[in-house]
Amino acid sequence: MVKEKLLKEINTSEKMFKELFEHISSGVAVYEVKSGGDDFIFKSINKAGEKIDRIKRKDVIGKSVLKLFPEIKSFGVFDIFKKVYKTGKPKEHPISFYKDKRISGWRRNYVYKLPSGEIVSVFDDKTREKHAEELLKISEEFSSNLMKNSPTPVLVLNADYSIRYMNPAFEKLLGFKLNGLMGKKPPFPWLPEDRNGKYGKILEEVSTKKVRFCSLEVLTKDGKIKYVDISASPVKDKGKLKYMLINFVDVTERKKTEEEIIKNEQKLKDAQNIAHIGSF
């Protein structure tokens, strides 16, 4: 009775292991050690492993890993196989690029030794992630260069409203330098005290949903008043705010011209009123 129960438990455990082995998202390969670790022979590989390495189980079982993956030595994971076999200690091979005449891509491997002596490699295809990282890096470098060389003043704020970046055109506009303001949160030195509340509301609106356009009165480092039109837009990643881009346009001269026109119109009206009164 005890023997039957034990056999049943073993059978159940084996089924569970097989289910896990076949349906886990990571590739799993089991190797038999040959010649004291000079070679490793495929003993088993799961479905994910077949897909990642573009091989069929029936084509690799019983064959040398060196013959199937000729670049595995230069890749570095073969040495890890040998070390794990000799020491019995699990070891990770970091994300690295593998390429031979058949396949290429970024892989991460975790290798350990079974009590029975076989070597197990658990591996993941990180090619898409690496491509995404490269595209993001290129995009950020392009954006950084674009902003750096743009004649339009640009301010970049983090999600917590702290200063992330200001381009040379922005520094020239107001006279403040990024070096002394990196990481600073509102109130910012270019905003008169009575304008900080308005600016905070603008940032809140931008961070939650939309692009915002408005006009502001700002102060330069030497205390001069300037008028700017701003457009602020959120940059999000998977729905979460990453940072805000704020473009500034200096409209001081236009504003002064408009004010001068208004003053002249008012002077003309006053003169007309005086002339009209004097005619009586």
Side-chain angles (χ1 to χ4, degrees):
M1 190 73 177
V2 175
K3 185 178 180 181
E4 289 179 0
K5 185 178 180 182
L6 182 61
L7 289 172
K8 187 177 180 180
E9 288 178 354
I10 292 172
N11 187 45
T12 301
S13 297
E14 286 181 350
K15 286 182 179 179
M16 289 176 65
F17 171 76
K18 287 180 180 178
E19 286 292 316
L20 177 63
F21 180 77
E22 285 298 337
H23 296 99
I24 190 172
S25 60
S26 297
V28 182
V30 182
Y31 300 95
E32 182 181 346
V33 183
K34 288 292 183 181
S35 304
D38 288 337
D39 200 358
F40 297 86
I41 308 300
F42 268 99
K43 190 172 182 180
S44 185
I45 187 169
N46 69 348
K47 291 179 180 178
E50 289 181 299
K51 184 178 180 181
I52 291 171
D53 282 337
R54 299 175 190 174
I55 55 179
K56 294 295 182 182
R57 188 177 309 177
K58 62 182 179 62
D59 297 329
V60 301
I61 299 302
K63 294 184 179 179
S64 162
V65 70
L66 288 174
K67 291 182 179 179
L68 290 168
F69 298 100
E71 300 299 325
I72 194 171
K73 282 190 173 181
S74 59
F75 179 58
V77 78
F78 189 81
D79 286 337
I80 289 180
F81 282 10
K82 296 177 73 171
K83 288 178 182 177
V84 171
Y85 170 67
K86 290 179 179 179
T87 66
K89 296 180 180 180
K91 195 170 181 64
E92 182 178 2
H93 187 259
I95 297 176
S96 303
F97 186 75
Y98 177 87
K99 183 179 181 180
D100 59 30
K101 292 180 180 179
R102 189 175 51 83
I103 62 170
S104 66
W106 293 88
R107 302 285 188 269
R108 180 175 63 190
N109 293 68
Y110 180 76
V111 183
Y112 63 94
K113 185 179 179 180
L114 293 175
S116 54
E118 289 99 340
I119 294 297
V120 178
S121 175
V122 181
F123 54 98
D124 294 286
D125 184 359
K126 295 295 181 180
T127 306
R128 286 187 178 180
E129 291 180 21
K130 290 297 292 185
H131 283 170
E133 287 177 10
E134 289 300 317
L135 287 174
L136 179 61
K137 184 179 179 181
I138 291 170
S139 175
E140 289 183 343
E141 286 177 353
F142 174 77
S143 298
S144 177
N145 288 328
L146 189 64
M147 284 190 286
K148 184 178 180 180
N149 297 296
S150 172
T152 301
V154 179
L155 173 69
V156 184
L157 301 181
N158 292 308
D160 63 354
Y161 305 163
S162 62
I163 295 174
R164 180 187 183 119
Y165 178 74
M166 56 175 68
N167 71 346
F170 184 89
E171 293 180 327
K172 184 178 179 181
L173 173 67
L174 299 179
F176 297 101
K177 298 295 181 181
L178 176 62
N179 187 43
L181 293 173
M182 178 77 81
K184 180 175 173 54
K185 295 181 180 181
F188 298 128
W190 54 83
L191 291 169
E193 289 298 320
D194 60 340
R195 296 292 187 185
N196 286 325
K198 179 181 179 181
Y199 198 70
K201 290 177 182 178
I202 293 169
L203 296 179
E204 186 176 350
E205 287 181 15
V206 173
S207 66
T208 54
K209 51 186 177 182
K210 59 185 179 181
V211 176
R212 183 73 157 80
F213 302 92
C214 71
S215 298
L216 283 177
E217 182 182 302
V218 295
L219 284 177
T220 64
K221 189 175 182 180
D222 57 7
K224 293 180 181 178
I225 294 176
K226 285 195 173 185
Y227 299 93
V228 294
D229 287 344
I230 70 169
S231 61
S233 56
V235 177
K236 296 184 178 182
D237 181 23
K238 297 179 181 179
K240 186 176 181 181
L241 180 67
K242 192 174 180 182
Y243 51 85
M244 287 176 277
L245 287 174
I246 306 174
N247 295 305
F248 286 67
V249 177
D250 186 358
V251 295
T252 304
E253 293 303 317
R254 188 192 73 192
K255 186 76 173 177
K256 288 180 178 179
T257 301
E258 289 173 354
E259 290 177 349
E260 194 64 31
I261 290 172
I262 292 172
K263 287 180 181 179
N264 289 335
E265 286 180 347
Q266 188 60 49
K267 286 180 181 179
L268 181 60
K269 285 181 181 180
D270 292 343
Q272 288 175 339
N273 288 335
I274 291 172
H276 179 70
I277 293 171
S279 64
F280 286 98

